[in-house]
Amino acid sequence: MLNPIFFNMPKIIIALDFSDKKSAMKLIDLLNPSIFYLKIGKEMFTILGYKFIKELHQLGFSIFLDLKFHDIPNTVFNATKAAADLGVWMLSVHAAGGKKMLISAKKALKNFKKAPLLIAITALTSLKEEDLQDIGIKSSLTEYILKLSKLSNDCGLDGIVCPGKEAKKIKFLFGHQYKIITPGIRSSKDLLYDQNNIITPREAKESKIDYIVLGRSITMSKNPIKKLDLIIKSMQ
Ligand code: C5P
């Protein structure tokens, strides 16, 4: 299999969204930890807890702990510190938690020798413009994403999770060091599921996205390695 690291492609994070360990391990056993990153979200973390992260570290994987913290600054400070103590490579908070919360998360990582990358969720890739209006946000989806990207950048975060469509603009505004992580990646034949803002792997490469998150297109695939190979080839 081609290694995205050597081909100037977005690197690949696999979203381990499974309801049991056996299914997760079946996929993990097929993956090379020097090529793929793993994302542990709310489901797997709630079922298997921090011990699972330790196990995956022992297998050599870098872990994105995607618990999307969104709470008062003190709680997020403590939760971020606890996540960093686990030695994860990346972790997420919601930019919508506001300036004080984002600064607290950043402060929590101050004394770590090798702090995780601190990433803010801008808008979920499942959201449509009308969903924003439902929660009282009057800006367009793009304006909202740009606003939260700026806020997260101002607060010293390492990057953001955002839909692919806005990625080019964000790179232009905030520079290449500011990491972009994009879920909602779909090849033309893939099912949309609940995602609304999707792009293809090729578009992700063209937008200079740093990391793509692949979930159900891999976890629901009968042949995940073949599927990953096709995705990587499509980005060449
Ligand atoms: O299955 P699919 O490819 O849609 O996977 C999407 C993954 O990315 C899920 O784990 C979801 O929690 C995550 N995610 C997202 N949108 C965001 C942030 C994370 O879909 N803005």
Side-chain angles (χ1 to χ4, degrees), residues 111-169:
N111 292 325
F112 284 85
K113 248 194 195 154
K114 206 171 167 237
L117 293 170
L118 183 63
I119 301 296
I121 310 290
T122 54
L124 297 168
T125 32
S126 55
L127 290 178
K128 288 185 180 164
E129 212 128 289
E130 66 238 39
D131 297 316
L132 288 188
Q133 281 157 26
D134 286 347
I135 53 170
I137 293 158
K138 302 222 161 46
S139 355
S140 71
L141 194 55
T142 299
E143 281 164 359
Y144 183 63
I145 291 167
L146 293 178
K147 213 180 263 179
L148 292 181
S149 301
K150 180 174 184 318
L151 178 70
S152 308
N153 191 260
D154 290 346
C155 294
L157 271 72
D158 299 299
I160 45 145
V161 178
C162 77
K165 210 180 119 226
E166 282 74 23
K168 264 189 196 157
K169 183 99 203 233

Short mmCIF file of all heavy atoms in Angstrom, two decimals, residues 111-169:
data_model
loop_
_atom_site.label_atom_id
_atom_site.label_comp_id
_atom_site.label_asym_id
_atom_site.label_seq_id
_atom_site.Cartn_x
_atom_site.Cartn_y
_atom_site.Cartn_z
N ASN A 111 2.32 22.53 30.51
CA ASN A 111 3.48 21.88 31.13
C ASN A 111 3.80 20.50 30.57
O ASN A 111 4.58 19.76 31.16
CB ASN A 111 3.26 21.79 32.64
CG ASN A 111 3.29 23.18 33.24
OD1 ASN A 111 4.04 24.05 32.78
ND2 ASN A 111 2.42 23.43 34.23
N PHE A 112 3.20 20.16 29.44
CA PHE A 112 3.50 18.85 28.86
C PHE A 112 4.70 18.97 27.92
O PHE A 112 4.73 19.87 27.07
CB PHE A 112 2.29 18.30 28.08
CG PHE A 112 1.22 17.78 29.00
CD1 PHE A 112 0.27 18.64 29.54
CD2 PHE A 112 1.19 16.44 29.35
CE1 PHE A 112 -0.71 18.17 30.40
CE2 PHE A 112 0.22 15.95 30.22
CZ PHE A 112 -0.73 16.82 30.75
N LYS A 113 5.64 18.04 28.05
CA LYS A 113 6.81 18.05 27.17
C LYS A 113 6.37 17.83 25.73
O LYS A 113 6.81 18.49 24.81
CB LYS A 113 7.76 16.93 27.60
CG LYS A 113 9.04 17.44 28.18
CD LYS A 113 10.04 16.31 28.26
CE LYS A 113 11.18 16.70 29.17
NZ LYS A 113 11.80 15.53 29.75
N LYS A 114 5.50 16.80 25.57
CA LYS A 114 5.02 16.50 24.22
C LYS A 114 3.49 16.61 24.26
O LYS A 114 2.78 15.61 24.40
CB LYS A 114 5.46 15.09 23.83
CG LYS A 114 5.56 14.94 22.33
CD LYS A 114 6.20 13.64 21.90
CE LYS A 114 5.94 13.48 20.42
NZ LYS A 114 5.27 12.27 20.08
N ALA A 115 3.01 17.86 24.17
CA ALA A 115 1.55 18.07 24.28
C ALA A 115 0.84 17.57 23.03
O ALA A 115 1.38 17.63 21.93
CB ALA A 115 1.28 19.56 24.45
N PRO A 116 -0.40 17.08 23.22
CA PRO A 116 -1.18 16.68 22.04
C PRO A 116 -1.53 17.90 21.19
O PRO A 116 -1.56 19.02 21.71
CB PRO A 116 -2.46 16.09 22.65
CG PRO A 116 -2.34 16.14 24.10
CD PRO A 116 -1.11 16.88 24.48
N LEU A 117 -1.81 17.67 19.93
CA LEU A 117 -2.32 18.76 19.09
C LEU A 117 -3.73 19.07 19.59
O LEU A 117 -4.55 18.15 19.77
CB LEU A 117 -2.39 18.32 17.63
CG LEU A 117 -1.04 18.08 16.94
CD1 LEU A 117 -1.25 17.42 15.57
CD2 LEU A 117 -0.30 19.40 16.79
N LEU A 118 -3.99 20.35 19.80
CA LEU A 118 -5.30 20.76 20.31
C LEU A 118 -6.12 21.33 19.14
O LEU A 118 -5.74 22.34 18.54
CB LEU A 118 -5.12 21.80 21.41
CG LEU A 118 -6.41 22.29 22.08
CD1 LEU A 118 -7.13 21.14 22.80
CD2 LEU A 118 -6.10 23.41 23.08
N ILE A 119 -7.22 20.65 18.85
CA ILE A 119 -7.97 20.92 17.63
C ILE A 119 -9.40 21.33 18.00
O ILE A 119 -10.02 20.72 18.88
CB ILE A 119 -8.02 19.63 16.78
CG1 ILE A 119 -6.60 19.15 16.43
CG2 ILE A 119 -8.87 19.78 15.53
CD1 ILE A 119 -5.80 20.08 15.57
N ALA A 120 -9.91 22.37 17.33
CA ALA A 120 -11.28 22.81 17.63
C ALA A 120 -12.25 22.37 16.54
O ALA A 120 -11.95 22.49 15.34
CB ALA A 120 -11.31 24.33 17.75
N ILE A 121 -13.40 21.90 16.97
CA ILE A 121 -14.47 21.58 16.02
C ILE A 121 -15.14 22.91 15.66
O ILE A 121 -15.53 23.68 16.55
CB ILE A 121 -15.55 20.67 16.66
CG1 ILE A 121 -14.94 19.44 17.36
CG2 ILE A 121 -16.63 20.28 15.66
CD1 ILE A 121 -14.34 18.41 16.47
N THR A 122 -15.26 23.18 14.38
CA THR A 122 -15.97 24.40 13.95
C THR A 122 -17.45 24.04 13.77
O THR A 122 -18.22 24.18 14.71
CB THR A 122 -15.35 24.99 12.68
OG1 THR A 122 -15.31 23.97 11.68
CG2 THR A 122 -13.95 25.51 12.95
N ALA A 123 -17.79 23.54 12.60
CA ALA A 123 -19.17 23.08 12.41
C ALA A 123 -19.13 21.59 12.09
O ALA A 123 -18.28 21.15 11.32
CB ALA A 123 -19.82 23.83 11.27
N LEU A 124 -20.03 20.85 12.66
CA LEU A 124 -20.11 19.42 12.36
C LEU A 124 -20.44 19.27 10.88
O LEU A 124 -21.21 20.06 10.33
CB LEU A 124 -21.19 18.75 13.22
CG LEU A 124 -20.94 18.80 14.73
CD1 LEU A 124 -22.19 18.38 15.50
CD2 LEU A 124 -19.75 17.94 15.12
N THR A 125 -19.84 18.26 10.25
CA THR A 125 -20.06 18.07 8.81
C THR A 125 -21.49 17.60 8.52
O THR A 125 -21.91 17.53 7.38
CB THR A 125 -19.03 17.08 8.23
OG1 THR A 125 -18.71 16.12 9.23
CG2 THR A 125 -17.77 17.78 7.81
N SER A 126 -22.23 17.29 9.57
CA SER A 126 -23.63 16.87 9.38
C SER A 126 -24.58 18.08 9.33
O SER A 126 -25.76 17.93 8.99
CB SER A 126 -24.04 15.94 10.52
OG SER A 126 -23.80 16.59 11.75
N LEU A 127 -24.07 19.26 9.68
CA LEU A 127 -24.96 20.43 9.79
C LEU A 127 -25.26 21.08 8.45
O LEU A 127 -24.39 21.22 7.60
CB LEU A 127 -24.33 21.50 10.70
CG LEU A 127 -24.24 21.19 12.19
CD1 LEU A 127 -23.54 22.33 12.92
CD2 LEU A 127 -25.61 20.94 12.79
N LYS A 128 -26.53 21.50 8.30
CA LYS A 128 -26.93 22.30 7.15
C LYS A 128 -27.18 23.72 7.66
O LYS A 128 -27.35 23.92 8.87
CB LYS A 128 -28.24 21.77 6.57
CG LYS A 128 -28.11 20.45 5.84
CD LYS A 128 -29.46 20.11 5.22
CE LYS A 128 -29.39 18.80 4.48
NZ LYS A 128 -30.71 18.25 4.18
N GLU A 129 -27.29 24.65 6.72
CA GLU A 129 -27.51 26.04 7.11
C GLU A 129 -28.76 26.19 8.01
O GLU A 129 -28.76 26.92 8.99
CB GLU A 129 -27.64 26.89 5.86
CG GLU A 129 -27.11 28.27 6.05
CD GLU A 129 -26.10 28.66 4.98
OE1 GLU A 129 -24.99 28.11 4.96
OE2 GLU A 129 -26.47 29.50 4.15
N GLU A 130 -29.82 25.44 7.66
CA GLU A 130 -31.06 25.57 8.45
C GLU A 130 -30.88 25.06 9.89
O GLU A 130 -31.56 25.52 10.80
CB GLU A 130 -32.24 24.88 7.76
CG GLU A 130 -32.13 23.38 7.65
CD GLU A 130 -32.19 22.91 6.19
OE1 GLU A 130 -31.61 23.58 5.31
OE2 GLU A 130 -32.83 21.86 5.96
N ASP A 131 -29.93 24.12 10.08
CA ASP A 131 -29.66 23.64 11.44
C ASP A 131 -29.05 24.76 12.29
O ASP A 131 -29.30 24.85 13.49
CB ASP A 131 -28.68 22.46 11.42
CG ASP A 131 -29.25 21.25 10.69
OD1 ASP A 131 -30.43 20.93 10.92
OD2 ASP A 131 -28.53 20.65 9.88
N LEU A 132 -28.23 25.61 11.64
CA LEU A 132 -27.64 26.74 12.36
C LEU A 132 -28.74 27.70 12.80
O LEU A 132 -28.75 28.21 13.92
CB LEU A 132 -26.65 27.50 11.48
CG LEU A 132 -25.31 26.83 11.16
CD1 LEU A 132 -24.40 27.81 10.44
CD2 LEU A 132 -24.62 26.34 12.43
N GLN A 133 -29.68 27.96 11.87
CA GLN A 133 -30.79 28.86 12.22
C GLN A 133 -31.60 28.32 13.39
O GLN A 133 -31.99 29.06 14.28
CB GLN A 133 -31.68 29.08 10.99
CG GLN A 133 -31.05 30.10 10.04
CD GLN A 133 -31.55 29.97 8.63
OE1 GLN A 133 -32.66 29.50 8.38
NE2 GLN A 133 -30.73 30.41 7.69
N ASP A 134 -31.79 27.00 13.42
CA ASP A 134 -32.54 26.36 14.52
C ASP A 134 -31.91 26.65 15.88
O ASP A 134 -32.59 26.68 16.89
CB ASP A 134 -32.56 24.83 14.36
CG ASP A 134 -33.50 24.39 13.26
OD1 ASP A 134 -34.30 25.22 12.80
OD2 ASP A 134 -33.42 23.21 12.86
N ILE A 135 -30.56 26.81 15.88
CA ILE A 135 -29.92 27.08 17.19
C ILE A 135 -29.56 28.57 17.33
O ILE A 135 -28.71 28.95 18.13
CB ILE A 135 -28.69 26.17 17.44
CG1 ILE A 135 -27.68 26.22 16.28
CG2 ILE A 135 -29.11 24.73 17.69
CD1 ILE A 135 -26.36 25.54 16.58
N GLY A 136 -30.22 29.38 16.52
CA GLY A 136 -30.12 30.83 16.70
C GLY A 136 -28.93 31.49 16.04
O GLY A 136 -28.60 32.63 16.34
N ILE A 137 -28.24 30.76 15.14
CA ILE A 137 -27.08 31.36 14.47
C ILE A 137 -27.51 31.87 13.10
O ILE A 137 -28.02 31.12 12.27
CB ILE A 137 -25.92 30.34 14.35
CG1 ILE A 137 -25.40 30.03 15.76
CG2 ILE A 137 -24.79 30.86 13.47
CD1 ILE A 137 -24.69 28.75 15.90
N LYS A 138 -27.28 33.19 12.90
CA LYS A 138 -27.82 33.81 11.69
C LYS A 138 -26.83 33.81 10.52
O LYS A 138 -27.21 34.03 9.39
CB LYS A 138 -28.27 35.25 12.00
CG LYS A 138 -29.32 35.30 13.11
CD LYS A 138 -30.45 36.26 12.84
CE LYS A 138 -31.67 35.98 13.67
NZ LYS A 138 -31.46 35.72 15.10
N SER A 139 -25.54 33.58 10.81
CA SER A 139 -24.56 33.60 9.72
C SER A 139 -24.73 32.38 8.82
O SER A 139 -25.35 31.39 9.20
CB SER A 139 -23.12 33.58 10.25
OG SER A 139 -23.06 33.65 11.63
N SER A 140 -24.13 32.48 7.63
CA SER A 140 -24.11 31.32 6.74
C SER A 140 -23.15 30.29 7.35
O SER A 140 -22.34 30.64 8.23
CB SER A 140 -23.60 31.72 5.35
OG SER A 140 -22.22 32.01 5.43
N LEU A 141 -23.24 29.07 6.87
CA LEU A 141 -22.36 28.01 7.39
C LEU A 141 -20.89 28.40 7.21
O LEU A 141 -20.07 28.27 8.13
CB LEU A 141 -22.67 26.70 6.65
CG LEU A 141 -22.13 25.40 7.23
CD1 LEU A 141 -22.55 25.21 8.67
CD2 LEU A 141 -22.59 24.22 6.40
N THR A 142 -20.57 28.93 6.02
CA THR A 142 -19.17 29.32 5.75
C THR A 142 -18.72 30.44 6.69
O THR A 142 -17.63 30.37 7.28
CB THR A 142 -19.01 29.75 4.27
OG1 THR A 142 -19.35 28.63 3.47
CG2 THR A 142 -17.60 30.18 3.95
N GLU A 143 -19.56 31.46 6.86
CA GLU A 143 -19.18 32.56 7.77
C GLU A 143 -18.94 32.04 9.19
O GLU A 143 -18.00 32.45 9.86
CB GLU A 143 -20.31 33.61 7.84
CG GLU A 143 -20.34 34.56 6.67
CD GLU A 143 -21.69 35.30 6.59
OE1 GLU A 143 -22.61 35.07 7.42
OE2 GLU A 143 -21.81 36.10 5.68
N TYR A 144 -19.83 31.14 9.60
CA TYR A 144 -19.74 30.57 10.95
C TYR A 144 -18.42 29.80 11.12
O TYR A 144 -17.70 29.97 12.10
CB TYR A 144 -20.94 29.65 11.17
CG TYR A 144 -21.05 29.03 12.54
CD1 TYR A 144 -21.21 29.81 13.67
CD2 TYR A 144 -21.01 27.64 12.69
CE1 TYR A 144 -21.32 29.23 14.93
CE2 TYR A 144 -21.12 27.05 13.95
CZ TYR A 144 -21.27 27.85 15.06
OH TYR A 144 -21.38 27.28 16.30
N ILE A 145 -18.08 28.99 10.12
CA ILE A 145 -16.84 28.20 10.17
C ILE A 145 -15.62 29.13 10.20
O ILE A 145 -14.69 28.93 10.98
CB ILE A 145 -16.78 27.22 8.97
CG1 ILE A 145 -17.85 26.13 9.16
CG2 ILE A 145 -15.40 26.60 8.81
CD1 ILE A 145 -18.12 25.30 7.94
N LEU A 146 -15.65 30.17 9.37
CA LEU A 146 -14.50 31.09 9.33
C LEU A 146 -14.35 31.84 10.65
O LEU A 146 -13.24 32.05 11.16
CB LEU A 146 -14.62 32.06 8.16
CG LEU A 146 -14.52 31.43 6.77
CD1 LEU A 146 -14.70 32.46 5.67
CD2 LEU A 146 -13.18 30.71 6.60
N LYS A 147 -15.49 32.23 11.23
CA LYS A 147 -15.46 32.94 12.50
C LYS A 147 -14.83 32.05 13.60
O LYS A 147 -13.96 32.49 14.35
CB LYS A 147 -16.90 33.29 12.89
CG LYS A 147 -17.03 34.60 13.65
CD LYS A 147 -18.46 34.89 13.99
CE LYS A 147 -19.11 35.84 12.98
NZ LYS A 147 -20.52 36.12 13.30
N LEU A 148 -15.29 30.80 13.66
CA LEU A 148 -14.77 29.89 14.70
C LEU A 148 -13.32 29.49 14.42
O LEU A 148 -12.55 29.25 15.35
CB LEU A 148 -15.66 28.66 14.82
CG LEU A 148 -17.06 28.93 15.38
CD1 LEU A 148 -17.86 27.64 15.49
CD2 LEU A 148 -16.99 29.60 16.76
N SER A 149 -12.95 29.46 13.15
CA SER A 149 -11.54 29.15 12.81
C SER A 149 -10.65 30.27 13.30
O SER A 149 -9.55 30.04 13.83
CB SER A 149 -11.35 29.01 11.30
OG SER A 149 -12.16 28.00 10.82
N LYS A 150 -11.09 31.52 13.11
CA LYS A 150 -10.30 32.67 13.54
C LYS A 150 -10.18 32.67 15.07
O LYS A 150 -9.10 32.86 15.62
CB LYS A 150 -10.92 33.98 13.05
CG LYS A 150 -10.12 35.18 13.48
CD LYS A 150 -10.60 36.48 12.90
CE LYS A 150 -9.72 37.66 13.27
NZ LYS A 150 -9.26 37.72 14.64
N LEU A 151 -11.31 32.45 15.73
CA LEU A 151 -11.31 32.43 17.20
C LEU A 151 -10.32 31.37 17.71
O LEU A 151 -9.51 31.65 18.61
CB LEU A 151 -12.73 32.13 17.71
CG LEU A 151 -12.88 32.02 19.21
CD1 LEU A 151 -12.70 33.39 19.86
CD2 LEU A 151 -14.25 31.45 19.60
N SER A 152 -10.36 30.19 17.14
CA SER A 152 -9.49 29.10 17.60
C SER A 152 -8.04 29.43 17.32
O SER A 152 -7.15 29.14 18.12
CB SER A 152 -9.85 27.78 16.90
OG SER A 152 -11.23 27.55 17.03
N ASN A 153 -7.79 30.07 16.17
CA ASN A 153 -6.43 30.49 15.82
C ASN A 153 -5.94 31.55 16.81
O ASN A 153 -4.83 31.47 17.33
CB ASN A 153 -6.43 31.01 14.38
CG ASN A 153 -5.04 31.23 13.87
OD1 ASN A 153 -4.54 32.35 13.84
ND2 ASN A 153 -4.37 30.16 13.48
N ASP A 154 -6.80 32.54 17.09
CA ASP A 154 -6.44 33.60 18.05
C ASP A 154 -6.13 33.02 19.43
O ASP A 154 -5.32 33.58 20.17
CB ASP A 154 -7.59 34.61 18.21
CG ASP A 154 -7.79 35.47 16.95
OD1 ASP A 154 -6.89 35.47 16.09
OD2 ASP A 154 -8.85 36.13 16.84
N CYS A 155 -6.81 31.93 19.79
CA CYS A 155 -6.61 31.35 21.13
C CYS A 155 -5.42 30.39 21.16
O CYS A 155 -5.18 29.73 22.17
CB CYS A 155 -7.87 30.63 21.59
SG CYS A 155 -9.25 31.73 21.85
N GLY A 156 -4.72 30.26 20.05
CA GLY A 156 -3.49 29.46 20.03
C GLY A 156 -3.68 27.98 19.78
O GLY A 156 -2.77 27.19 20.05
N LEU A 157 -4.85 27.58 19.27
CA LEU A 157 -5.05 26.16 18.99
C LEU A 157 -4.22 25.74 17.78
O LEU A 157 -3.79 26.58 16.98
CB LEU A 157 -6.55 25.84 18.80
CG LEU A 157 -7.22 25.48 20.16
CD1 LEU A 157 -7.36 26.70 21.02
CD2 LEU A 157 -8.54 24.79 19.95
N ASP A 158 -4.01 24.44 17.65
CA ASP A 158 -3.14 23.95 16.56
C ASP A 158 -3.88 23.78 15.25
O ASP A 158 -3.23 23.60 14.21
CB ASP A 158 -2.53 22.60 16.97
CG ASP A 158 -1.69 22.74 18.23
OD1 ASP A 158 -0.72 23.50 18.19
OD2 ASP A 158 -2.03 22.12 19.26
N GLY A 159 -5.19 23.76 15.30
CA GLY A 159 -5.93 23.57 14.06
C GLY A 159 -7.40 23.36 14.33
O GLY A 159 -7.87 23.53 15.46
N ILE A 160 -8.10 22.99 13.27
CA ILE A 160 -9.55 22.85 13.39
C ILE A 160 -10.05 21.62 12.62
O ILE A 160 -9.38 21.13 11.71
CB ILE A 160 -10.28 24.08 12.79
CG1 ILE A 160 -9.65 24.43 11.44
CG2 ILE A 160 -10.27 25.26 13.72
CD1 ILE A 160 -10.63 24.94 10.49
N VAL A 161 -11.25 21.20 13.01
CA VAL A 161 -11.98 20.22 12.21
C VAL A 161 -13.02 21.03 11.44
O VAL A 161 -13.76 21.81 12.04
CB VAL A 161 -12.69 19.17 13.09
CG1 VAL A 161 -13.48 18.19 12.23
CG2 VAL A 161 -11.69 18.42 13.95
N CYS A 162 -13.03 20.88 10.14
CA CYS A 162 -14.02 21.64 9.36
C CYS A 162 -14.38 20.88 8.09
O CYS A 162 -13.62 20.03 7.64
CB CYS A 162 -13.52 23.04 9.03
SG CYS A 162 -12.34 23.07 7.69
N PRO A 163 -15.56 21.21 7.52
CA PRO A 163 -15.92 20.59 6.25
C PRO A 163 -14.93 20.98 5.16
O PRO A 163 -14.29 22.04 5.23
CB PRO A 163 -17.31 21.18 5.95
CG PRO A 163 -17.81 21.69 7.26
CD PRO A 163 -16.59 22.10 8.03
N GLY A 164 -14.81 20.13 4.15
CA GLY A 164 -13.79 20.32 3.12
C GLY A 164 -13.92 21.60 2.32
O GLY A 164 -12.92 22.18 1.89
N LYS A 165 -15.15 22.03 2.11
CA LYS A 165 -15.39 23.18 1.23
C LYS A 165 -14.67 24.45 1.72
O LYS A 165 -14.25 25.27 0.91
CB LYS A 165 -16.91 23.42 1.19
CG LYS A 165 -17.40 24.02 -0.10
CD LYS A 165 -18.91 24.21 -0.06
CE LYS A 165 -19.19 25.69 -0.24
NZ LYS A 165 -20.14 26.25 0.67
N GLU A 166 -14.53 24.60 3.00
CA GLU A 166 -13.94 25.83 3.55
C GLU A 166 -12.42 25.73 3.71
O GLU A 166 -11.77 26.73 4.04
CB GLU A 166 -14.57 26.15 4.91
CG GLU A 166 -15.94 26.79 4.85
CD GLU A 166 -17.06 25.83 4.47
OE1 GLU A 166 -16.86 24.61 4.67
OE2 GLU A 166 -18.10 26.28 3.96
N ALA A 167 -11.86 24.55 3.46
CA ALA A 167 -10.44 24.32 3.80
C ALA A 167 -9.48 25.29 3.10
O ALA A 167 -8.59 25.85 3.75
CB ALA A 167 -10.07 22.87 3.50
N LYS A 168 -9.65 25.48 1.80
CA LYS A 168 -8.70 26.32 1.05
C LYS A 168 -8.62 27.71 1.64
O LYS A 168 -7.56 28.29 1.83
CB LYS A 168 -9.16 26.42 -0.41
CG LYS A 168 -8.48 25.42 -1.31
CD LYS A 168 -8.80 25.70 -2.77
CE LYS A 168 -8.44 24.49 -3.60
NZ LYS A 168 -9.15 24.42 -4.86
N LYS A 169 -9.80 28.27 1.91
CA LYS A 169 -9.89 29.63 2.45
C LYS A 169 -9.18 29.71 3.81
O LYS A 169 -8.46 30.67 4.10
CB LYS A 169 -11.39 29.98 2.57
CG LYS A 169 -11.70 31.36 3.04
CD LYS A 169 -12.03 32.26 1.90
CE LYS A 169 -11.81 33.70 2.28
NZ LYS A 169 -12.87 34.57 2.07
#
